[in-house]
Amino acid sequence: MSILVTRPSPAGEELVSRLRALGKVAWSFPLIEFTPGRELATLPDRLAAFSANDLIFVLSQHAVAFAHAHLQHYGLHWPHAPRYFAIGRTTALALHTVSGINVRYPLDREISEVLLQLPELQNIAGKRAMLLRGNGGRELLGDTLAARGADVTFCECYQRSAKYYDGAEEAMRWQARGVTTLVVTSGEMLQQLFSLIPAWYRENWLLRCRLLVVSERLAHLARDLGWQDIQVADNADNDALLRALQ
């Protein structure tokens, strides 16, 4: 079994390194890369305006990395007044590590639906909530918070952009290397991979691979695209992916 990991750097390379240490054949093939978000410059003033009654949601490690680097550049710190929430343990740990702030996160699945079950998020009418994210995503979270009466805003801290590849060349390479398992961690990347690979290789290689994804929603999308051998990891971090691949 040869494994192709499509998640971006550096998480993709880290997972490949851990798989190889276990004696597995694995390759990194990042489908997207990250650049600073268009609203990053507005973040310091927006954070400073938040009080102890308000809520800040950090939706990925990349949001933490870009936001923290921007604050550091101006000699600023994360304000301790608002209450902080993260989409999962890894993101919460990333924010806690750079800020020392206590961050709440769902202990079960790292998805919006489970985050929204936290007791602190049930009675939030009149509170301000800001979601730190990439270019789009987590609309369900924002919509639900707004429906519960919160004043919701978003801050684009980073942008995801597709990396360019020659689809036929890559399909030949990965098929020749015996890749039979694909690791895909977002719907955006799944669609991109499907579109990148030419039709012949799609039918005769790509859709015949075992596919490891990180949510039931992603598994449903994969079935719609034509995959049949689909496994859902119990979380989105590398530890969970490693468990699933073993």
Side-chain angles (χ1 to χ4, degrees), residues 141-238:
L141 179 58
D143 290 347
T144 306
L145 294 171
R148 292 177 184 177
D151 176 12
V152 178
T153 57
F154 295 89
C155 183
E156 183 192 287
C157 294
Y158 66 96
Q159 291 189 58
R160 298 178 299 272
S161 53
K163 289 174 71 74
Y164 174 76
Y165 294 103
D166 181 312
E169 189 177 301
E170 294 301 331
M172 286 172 61
R173 183 202 318 275
W174 302 124
Q175 188 179 35
R177 286 181 174 176
V179 168
T180 55
T181 298
L182 309 168
V183 178
V184 183
T185 54
S186 80
E188 183 181 1
M189 289 190 284
L190 189 65
Q191 292 276 14
Q192 189 184 337
L193 182 63
F194 182 83
S195 301
L196 174 69
I197 303 302
W200 188 89
Y201 285 104
R202 201 183 291 157
E203 296 301 322
N204 291 282
W205 168 66
L206 188 72
L207 293 175
R208 297 185 182 185
C209 288
R210 170 189 172 215
L211 183 66
L212 176 62
V213 297
V214 296
S215 69
E216 290 296 341
R217 180 187 61 80
L218 205 46
H220 184 74
L221 173 60
R223 286 187 200 98
D224 287 347
L225 289 172
W227 270 279
Q228 294 182 340
D229 188 359
I230 305 164
Q231 182 181 359
V232 181
D234 58 27
N235 235 320
D237 60 32
N238 278 349

Side-chain angles (χ1 to χ4, degrees), residues 35-37 39-40 43 62-63 66-67 132-134 155-159:
T35 54
E39 297 172 322
L40 198 54
L43 181 62
H62 303 290
F66 279 97
L132 310 189
R133 64 173 185 175
C155 183
E156 183 192 287
C157 294
Y158 66 96
Q159 291 189 58

